[in-house]
Amino acid sequence: MRVYVPLTLSGLAEAHRAGELGAGPLVAYAVTPALREWYRSDDMEELEYAALNRAALASLRLLAADADAGAARRRVVVAADVPDAAAEPGPDRGTDPAALGEVLVAGPLPLAKAAAVHVDSADAEADVSAAAEALAAADGGDDDARSVVDGADDHELLWYATQELPNLV
């Protein structure tokens, strides 16, 4: 199963140093029955893209919670392949859109299992930073803040091969 693990650049640097994304369980996103139902598509490529976008939103939430003001504000998602049995559906949070596609990956997830890394470009930093700052207000129903958060989605995450990790961190 392909899972998408949300991180920040500092989290990616730590994973690179440690050689693993974490000991687990890790929150990740994948094509789950709930995501399929929400997205209403049988096209696996579209469903994987939807799971990637769910992970990008989770990465934005990590940035919003990150107290390191000097860190680069870019969304990071690591795509990794794990056995189906290693990923369990995440906790049931009802209709919470942030939980769509959420899975928990058990056990350690070696960075060697990564298939690719997706990261915002440098020109996305201002919009991503503004979106991270506006996230709490958007969650509270503020339409202007929601518009700012949606502005981060105007930036596509760039694809990087795992061999490019040293240059990213």
Side-chain angles (χ1 to χ4, degrees):
M1 170 184 286
R2 172 74 43 103
V3 297
Y4 299 90
V5 181
L7 292 174
T8 62
L9 280 175
S10 58
L12 182 63
E14 178 56 35
H16 181 63
R17 279 190 295 277
E20 68 179 18
L21 293 171
L26 297 171
V27 174
Y29 293 81
V31 177
T32 63
L35 184 74
R36 270 183 205 275
E37 185 177 323
W38 171 75
Y39 200 75
R40 298 178 190 237
S41 174
D42 289 329
D43 184 325
M44 193 58 167
E45 190 171 310
E46 287 180 11
L47 291 166
E48 296 263 343
Y49 185 71
L52 172 66
N53 284 332
R54 297 285 95 209
L57 177 59
S59 175
L60 186 63
R61 292 188 183 287
L62 292 172
L63 287 170
D66 192 355
D68 184 3
R73 309 287 268 177
R74 296 188 202 177
R75 297 169 298 166
V76 176
V77 176
V78 176
D81 295 315
V82 300
D84 288 351
E88 295 288 329
D92 181 24
R93 295 191 306 196
T95 58
D96 180 1
L100 288 170
E102 187 174 290
V103 295
L104 296 176
V105 179
L109 183 52
L111 199 51
K113 297 279 185 185
V117 180
H118 303 270
V119 182
D120 276 312
S121 65
D123 67 343
E125 280 189 45
D127 288 341
V128 170
S129 182
E133 296 300 321
L135 195 55
D139 287 345
D142 183 319
D143 289 337
D144 291 335
R146 180 82 247 160
S147 178
V148 172
V149 170
D150 289 345
D153 290 337
D154 291 341
H155 300 277
E156 292 287 328
L157 297 178
L158 302 177
W159 181 92
Y160 292 91
T162 56
Q163 298 88 332
E164 297 177 274
L165 266 173
N167 296 329
L168 282 172
V169 300

